Amino acid sequence: MNGINFEAVEQTTKVIKENPSQKMRHWHAKVTWESGVKNNVQIRDFKPITMDEPVPLGGTDEGANPVEMLIGTAGSCFAITFEVLASQQGITLEVVEVDVEADLNAAVFLGLEEGDGGILQPTIRLKAKTSAQKEQVKEIAETALQKSPVLASMKAKLQLEIN
C-alpha cells in the first residue's frame, strides 16, 4: 500500500515475535572532521553527507548544519511514521509534505549567555492529501508524534564516551 513493503515489515514483526532478542536494532554513523567546522557523516554504504555551518557561524556553508539536519530528520521520521500508520489503516496517500521550523539561540552556542542551547519552539506542519477524513488524518498525525523514534530520541538522555 502506498509503495510501502509491508511484506518485509510483516516478516520482521514475525521474527521479533518468535525471538524477542531480535527487537533491538543497532545503528551507526561515523563523523570525520574535514576542516574548519565541516564534517563528513558516513552512514552504512551511502554517499557521505557533508555537514557545515553558515559563514556567520564560522563555516563555509558547503552543507546543512547539524540543527537543520536534526529538524529535517525529525520531520522525515514523523512523515514516515504517519505514512506507515495511514497505510496500515488502508488510507491512500496522494500528498504528504512536512515542514519543520525551530529557533536556536546562537548566543548560548557562542557562550555569550546562559540558557537552553537546544532547539526552541519546534513546530511540525503536515500537509496531507489522502482518502481519509481530516479528523482521521489528525488522529494518525497525533499518534505519529508519539511513535516517531527520532522525536522520542530527542527527549532521551545521551551517554558520552571519550576515547
Side-chain angles (χ1 to χ4, degrees):
M1 173 108 208
N2 296 315
I4 298 172
N5 185 350
F6 279 112
E7 187 175 303
V9 174
E10 289 168 8
Q11 179 62 32
T12 300
T13 301
K14 180 181 175 191
V15 167
I16 292 171
K17 282 182 179 178
E18 291 172 358
N19 186 355
S21 68
Q22 296 294 310
K23 68 182 178 184
M24 299 304 290
R25 294 283 186 241
H26 182 77
W27 303 104
H28 177 259
K30 182 177 182 177
V31 179
T32 305
W33 175 67
E34 190 172 312
S35 68
V37 293
K38 184 167 47 172
N39 293 285
N40 291 313
V41 181
Q42 182 67 51
I43 300 170
R44 291 191 274 155
D45 294 327
F46 297 110
K47 181 180 172 186
I49 301 165
T50 298
M51 295 178 70
D52 196 1
E53 290 288 346
V55 174
L57 293 175
T60 57
D61 210 17
E62 293 182 34
N65 74 19
V67 173
E68 293 166 318
M69 294 297 285
L70 175 67
I71 65 174
T73 300
S76 180
C77 191
F78 168 78
I80 290 168
T81 306
F82 174 83
E83 293 151 5
V84 169
L85 292 171
S87 297
Q88 287 173 328
Q89 294 184 34
I91 296 168
T92 302
L93 303 174
E94 293 179 41
V95 174
V96 176
E97 292 179 8
V98 175
D99 186 43
V100 183
E101 292 183 3
D103 294 326
L104 182 88
N105 185 342
V108 174
F109 171 73
L110 296 170
L112 299 173
E113 63 183 55
E114 296 294 317
D116 188 343
I119 60 169
L120 305 168
Q121 302 171 337
T123 303
I124 294 177
R125 289 182 190 85
L126 171 65
K127 174 183 175 185
K129 186 175 179 186
T130 74
S131 62
Q133 298 295 317
K134 189 172 184 173
E135 187 59 36
Q136 189 176 13
V137 169
K138 183 179 178 188
E139 288 173 13
I140 294 167
E142 288 172 355
T143 302
L145 277 178
Q146 301 306 312
K147 289 195 169 207
S148 162
V150 171
L151 294 177
S153 298
M154 291 172 69
K155 302 170 193 169
K157 182 174 170 49
L158 292 173
Q159 278 187 298
L160 176 63
E161 297 177 2
I162 309 283
N163 295 330

